[in-house]
Amino acid sequence: MELNNLKPAEGSTKKEKRIGRGQGSGHGGTSTRGHKGAKSRSGYKSKRSFQGGQMPLQRLVPKFGFKNVNRVEYKAINLSLLQQIAEESNLMSIDFQSLMDAGFIGKNDKVKILGNGELKVKLDIKAHAFSKSAKEKIEKLEGTTEII
């Protein structure tokens, strides 16, 4: 076998469809675009959501639900995580900055402390909000809760 004998495998290549090259090419006349209509004309461009004049799905399906513009989005932090941070960093009080330094929140987040997990040490905690169970568990160990 030599380089001049190489051929692609049978059926792996197809002839190029030469469009708009006269009647002899088999693709002359309408150049495979059919007769009339927007699609047959030059410059035609369809929107992704266009369904041929049919009522589009995003307009057909009813709106659902309600978005409250005044909703406050909190980053949830559990007591188990606070216990872990207190042990690792040897802290007695946890505030916004210490949570940010630990990498659990961003500078624009609001923090809510939730009561999941156990707290073993007395902690003074400052956050934007506390759940009822979290507040009880913190105060049970004589810790303090302060809302920022």
Side-chain angles (χ1 to χ4, degrees), residues 46-58 60:
S46 150
K47 286 184 179 173
R48 243 189 326 177
S49 61
F50 186 65
Q51 297 175 11
Q54 174 177 300
M55 183 63 71
L57 187 65
Q58 73 270 21
L60 193 67

Side-chain angles (χ1 to χ4, degrees), residues 27-74:
H27 302 296
T30 59
S31 298
T32 72
R33 287 169 176 247
H35 296 279
K36 297 183 185 173
K39 283 187 181 177
S40 72
R41 313 199 191 281
S42 69
Y44 166 74
K45 199 171 184 184
S46 150
K47 286 184 179 173
R48 243 189 326 177
S49 61
F50 186 65
Q51 297 175 11
Q54 174 177 300
M55 183 63 71
L57 187 65
Q58 73 270 21
R59 286 181 60 198
L60 193 67
V61 176
K63 290 182 192 169
F64 189 83
F66 166 76
K67 289 256 195 285
N68 185 358
V69 292
N70 300 318
R71 180 167 191 240
V72 179
E73 189 78 36
Y74 288 105

Side-chain angles (χ1 to χ4, degrees), residues 90-135:
N90 219 7
L91 299 173
M92 293 312 293
S93 69
I94 292 176
D95 60 349
F96 189 83
Q97 190 60 44
S98 60
L99 287 170
M100 216 167 90
D101 294 340
F104 292 107
I105 57 169
K107 65 178 182 177
N108 297 323
D109 289 337
K110 289 191 182 292
V111 179
K112 183 168 184 173
I113 307 299
L114 303 179
N116 193 2
E118 278 300 313
L119 202 58
K120 296 171 190 145
V121 291
K122 176 187 166 186
L123 287 175
D124 302 324
I125 301 167
K126 295 178 184 176
H128 295 99
F130 293 89
S131 72
K132 199 186 276 185
S133 63
K135 202 167 189 171

Side-chain angles (χ1 to χ4, degrees), residues 6 10 38 60 68 76 85 90 94 138-139:
L6 290 177
E10 187 95 10
L60 193 67
N68 185 358
I85 293 168
N90 219 7
I94 292 176
I138 294 164
E139 289 170 354

